[in-house]
Amino acid sequence: MPLTEKEIADLKEKARQVRHLTVKTLVWSGGGHIGGALSQTDILVILYWHFLKIDPKNPDWEERDRVVLSKGHGGIGYAPLLALRGYFDQELLKTFNQTNSPFGMHLDRLKVPGVDASTGSLGHGLPMSVGLALGARLKGQSWRTYCILGDGECHEGSVWEAAMAASHYKLSNLTAIVDRNKLCIDGRVEEIMALEPFVDKWVSFGWQALECDGHDFVQLAEAIEKAHQTTDRPTVIIAHTVKGKGIDYMEDQPGWHYGGIDSGKEKLALESIDRMYGITQA
Ligand SMILES: Cc1ncc(C[n+]2csc(CCOP(=O)(O)OP(=O)(O)O)c2C)c(N)n1
């Protein structure tokens, strides 16, 4: 079913709130992987506020859909989203990445409610997701697994071993979404090691491969629904995004993979995000 105008407006407002709280968490933590945290936002928002079968008050519910943030450095954007979705009090984020905090820079599933897999070492999330999806099938359960990968992360060989296994087992209950922001830690993905032709690679590994604008909720919803309708193979959605999306001085800048901001830059960041959503300061 296509998204209604009201649903689109509500999702945009959630994404604005997630981006704001991500910026605040960055200030509280003193630094973090802000660029990739902002490129992944809309992908996670549509999952958490439109598609996922979850119960934030019962995070260990057996039948819940699973999410594996394989690009685990995106935790500084994922934790604020989980707080806003009702998994825990957002006040806790003030301790992000500090001593004795439940939140390390990479989220720990044993410490943060709502996190299904501890990630951070790139290349492990898709293998874990294959295990989860296979486990659901073996138990005869209907929940789905969603795995969010970075495009730079797709340089890891283990991603492709897992891709091969997923198609071998015809894991149609597994959807991978690649945050294709075209940047990795220190430069442009295509210059460091080219992924293109990226769609063809996934198809040759036996996946259904779709492409969309990863900041457009209508396109994301269409792709995820197509994944749900496919019953004989896993689906990958290559979601084209912009690293640092929403903050004008960070967008598509390799230098903002990781960084910190002071209160002056925080104000500029929050204003820039609001401008993107058509809100201008008085
Ligand atoms: C196995 C491993 N090697 C290196 C790193 C260090 N590292 C953290 S983020 C990153 C770049 C990842 O790029 P990409 O997947 O494109 O992430 P995004 O641009 O979305 O932040 C690297 C190399 C890591 N976390 N794990």
Side-chain angles (χ1 to χ4, degrees):
M1 278 241 301
L3 294 176
T4 64
E5 291 300 319
K6 163 100 174 56
E7 284 172 329
I8 295 168
D10 289 348
L11 289 167
K12 282 187 180 168
E13 176 53 20
K14 285 298 168 205
R16 189 183 73 85
Q17 291 172 12
V18 171
R19 286 190 163 93
H20 266 228
L21 195 53
T22 300
V23 168
K24 288 181 185 154
T25 305
L26 181 72
V27 175
W28 293 324
S29 79
H33 301 84
I34 184 67
L38 293 168
S39 57
Q40 76 195 9
T41 305
D42 300 307
I43 298 167
L44 289 171
V45 164
I46 197 150
L47 286 176
Y48 276 88
W49 273 278
H50 190 71
F51 283 107
L52 292 185
K53 223 173 35 169
I54 46 170
D55 177 4
K57 297 292 166 234
N58 183 10
D60 296 327
W61 176 41
E62 173 82 8
E63 297 285 333
R64 72 190 184 282
D65 289 333
R66 284 7 179 226
V67 174
V68 177
L69 184 68
S70 191
K71 44 168 288 188
H73 56 283
I76 199 160
Y78 188 28
L81 178 141
L82 291 173
L84 286 164
R85 189 64 182 82
Y87 283 93
F88 49 82
D89 188 342
Q90 51 177 279
E91 280 292 301
L92 282 173
L93 295 168
K94 291 186 174 166
T95 68
F96 196 90
N97 204 34
Q98 292 163 28
T99 308
N100 295 327
S101 169
F103 310 100
M105 192 60 84
H106 305 98
L107 304 183
D108 181 335
R109 76 177 181 87
L110 300 178
K111 294 184 181 160
V112 184
V115 173
D116 289 314
S118 304
T119 52
S121 184
L122 296 168
H124 293 276
L126 194 59
M128 282 192 266
S129 301
V130 168
L132 284 164
L134 200 51
R137 176 186 297 162
L138 290 170
K139 288 180 173 172
Q141 295 179 341
S142 62
W143 47 270
R144 295 178 175 279
T145 301
Y146 299 88
C147 178
I148 319 301
L149 294 145
D151 53 358
E153 182 183 10
C154 293
H155 289 149
E156 298 279 356
S158 50
V159 170
W160 299 100
E161 291 178 46
M164 212 164 18
S167 70
H168 175 81
Y169 291 110
K170 301 187 174 22
L171 295 178
S172 55
N173 56 352
L174 170 63
T175 304
I177 306 179
V178 180
D179 178 357
R180 183 79 166 111
N181 60 31
K182 286 119 194 146
L183 290 174
C184 48
I185 196 167
D186 50 3
R188 305 217 163 256
V189 172
E190 290 307 295
E191 287 169 14
I192 290 164
M193 187 157 60
L195 295 174
E196 297 296 343
F198 200 35
V199 166
D200 295 353
K201 283 193 173 74
W202 287 99
V203 170
S204 74
F205 274 73
W207 288 56
Q208 167 170 245
L210 309 171
E211 283 185 284
C212 73
D213 177 338
H215 300 302
D216 181 322
F217 289 120
V218 174
Q219 289 190 28
L220 279 166
E222 278 173 10
I224 294 167
E225 275 174 12
K226 198 160 175 201
H228 290 180
Q229 287 153 12
T230 303
T231 54
D232 60 346
R233 339 168 241 164
T235 295
V236 60
I237 299 167
I238 296 159
H240 293 279
T241 59
V242 176
K243 203 155 173 170
K245 179 73 175 176
I247 302 182
D248 47 12
Y249 62 85
M250 290 188 187
E251 284 192 359
D252 198 35
Q253 298 297 317
W256 279 105
H257 175 75
Y258 182 103
I261 53 175
D262 59 18
S263 57
K265 280 225 164 71
E266 176 191 8
K267 184 168 180 294
L268 292 176
L270 297 175
E271 286 172 1
S272 173
I273 290 167
D274 281 350
R275 267 197 310 280
M276 180 169 77
Y277 292 103
I279 301 169
T280 45
Q281 308 303 313

